Amino acid sequence: MTSVEGALGAAVVDYTSGMALGTLGGGKDLDLTIAAAGNTDVIRAKVRTMEQLGLKGQIEDILITLESQYHLIRLVTGRNGNGLFLYLVLDKSRSNLAMARHQLKRVEEQIEI
């Protein structure tokens, strides 16, 4: 995931527990373990809202746009990936959001769990 242009950090996260199963990148200004736990709450809130609204279908990805960063969350749906998500942080000025989403989808399809 960190081969994506503009990638600052990436993680594979279990959203049932909020634990990052693996991280790469990040740093003092981007603690991926804290971000993993916080984004677990984002997913749970969205799932709960969808249930309350009676919306059918699955979440593909969630985008959070900050002043200088994109935060992409992609739920893993295949190969026993239920309960996991991919988390990718991008430098907004150095990344192509459409290409990053495409590459993250490819990672999700190829990941071995």
Side-chain angles (χ1 to χ4, degrees):
M1 289 189 296
T2 55
S3 67
V4 174
E5 182 74 27
L8 299 174
V12 176
V13 184
D14 177 345
Y15 69 81
T16 57
S17 68
M19 285 184 64
L21 304 178
T23 64
L24 192 58
K28 64 180 174 123
D29 295 331
L30 178 60
D31 186 326
L32 292 169
T33 56
I34 292 173
N39 285 309
T40 295
D41 293 336
V42 170
I43 292 173
R44 289 178 184 160
K46 186 60 188 171
V47 168
R48 198 170 40 251
T49 301
M50 288 176 64
E51 288 172 355
Q52 291 172 344
L53 293 172
L55 296 175
K56 302 298 179 204
Q58 294 183 335
I59 299 169
E60 289 182 358
D61 55 31
I62 297 171
L63 168 65
I64 300 169
T65 305
L66 303 179
E67 185 176 325
S68 64
Q69 296 175 345
Y70 293 124
H71 291 235
L72 278 170
I73 300 167
R74 173 114 191 149
L75 275 68
V76 178
T77 57
R79 293 193 211 130
N80 301 320
N82 287 343
L84 299 181
F85 69 90
L86 306 175
Y87 176 57
L88 179 62
V89 180
L90 301 165
D91 180 321
K92 198 173 180 180
S93 67
R94 297 185 306 122
S95 61
N96 177 320
L97 183 57
M99 185 59 71
R101 288 184 68 222
H102 176 72
Q103 289 177 297
L104 202 55
K105 181 180 180 185
R106 284 191 15 220
V107 169
E108 186 247 340
E109 291 169 349
Q110 295 173 356
I111 194 168
E112 295 286 332
I113 300 168

